Amino acid sequence: MSTNTTSTPTDDGDSFPSDFLDIDDLSADQLATVLARASDLKAGKDLTQLPRTTLAMLFEKPSTRTRASFETGMTQLGGHAMFLGPDAIQLGHGEPLRDTARALAGYADAIMVRTFAHENAQILAEYADVPVINGLTDDAHPCQTLADLLTIHEEVGDLSEVQAAWVGDGNNVGRSFAVGAALAGLDLTVATPDGYGLGDDVYDRCAELGTEPTVADTPEEAVADADVVYTDVWVSMGEEDRREVKLPDFDGYQVNEELLADTDAAFMHCLPAHRGEEVTEAVLESDRSLVWEQAENRMHAQKGLLVEMLE
């Protein structure tokens, strides 16, 4: 039975964690290994296959990129992805989640889960004796961070020499990106409205990894020296009833042409984007936008992770 349900980095460079629930379940060396493997697979330099390997994919939240990237990635690796959507399996409702975990572990070589409560992913990891991968929870989105770091490395350069800015809501994507940046040695400056920060626990984890984000008073201050500017939606999935409350709080935090006028920074967004809210159409569709590279790199980064965990 797997017990790797914390966010403690793994120190053993030869042994990958049994589960991947948070980006810092990997050590810095393991993160570099996954990104290097992903790059080689993307370039066709690595012919590693995972034949007769099945990934069970549990979806409580709908998805475009997560499903397509994992399913296509498994096919390219010679394996199979089994989609179990919210109408086919009720996480914790039809039967205890621990029973679902143990049953699926008898059919699949790994489980990917996209759910609301992070605790659901932790329960699956505790009771399934196969690797469990977090495809997104309300607390974390580590697979997106893998794709983000792969994209920055490809498009900007050595991660340890990159200055990034996060502007907007300190949500699950921002939290994982901040910890991943610290793990990779990337400098990060964060600008969020009052009450929407990343959380003290994230700053503590980053500090333990050696690179705590800088907190800026304004978006303008955050992006001043940035090589990359990253944002995400202000109203996340499941928060639709808070929309009218949240939107006024983000006045001045839109990533637009004016904010980026004095910088050559690339632009990143995990998608889907709410054009005209957190980012303008002009920025999203501009030459500085890396969002489509990010989207494609979900597949390549996850292939690198799957190979390292299952090979």
Side-chain angles (χ1 to χ4, degrees), residues 102-154:
R102 289 179 287 203
L104 285 177
Y107 311 134
D109 300 282
I111 298 169
M112 187 282 296
V113 60
R114 182 178 172 93
T115 183
F116 288 96
H118 194 74
E119 181 185 8
N120 287 340
Q122 293 174 320
I123 292 172
L124 284 168
E126 181 179 357
Y127 286 94
D129 58 3
V130 298
V132 172
I133 296 170
N134 178 4
L136 177 142
T137 67
D138 286 346
D139 289 355
H141 199 353
C143 289
Q144 180 64 53
T145 299
L146 290 178
D148 297 338
L149 295 175
L150 179 61
T151 302
I152 294 172
H153 176 70
E154 288 178 344

Side-chain angles (χ1 to χ4, degrees), residues 287-304:
D287 291 341
R288 69 168 79 217
S289 178
L290 300 180
V291 299
W292 316 118
E293 288 83 353
Q294 283 176 270
E296 179 183 340
N297 278 338
R298 283 290 304 276
M299 179 179 68
H300 302 299
Q302 290 159 187
K303 284 170 65 178

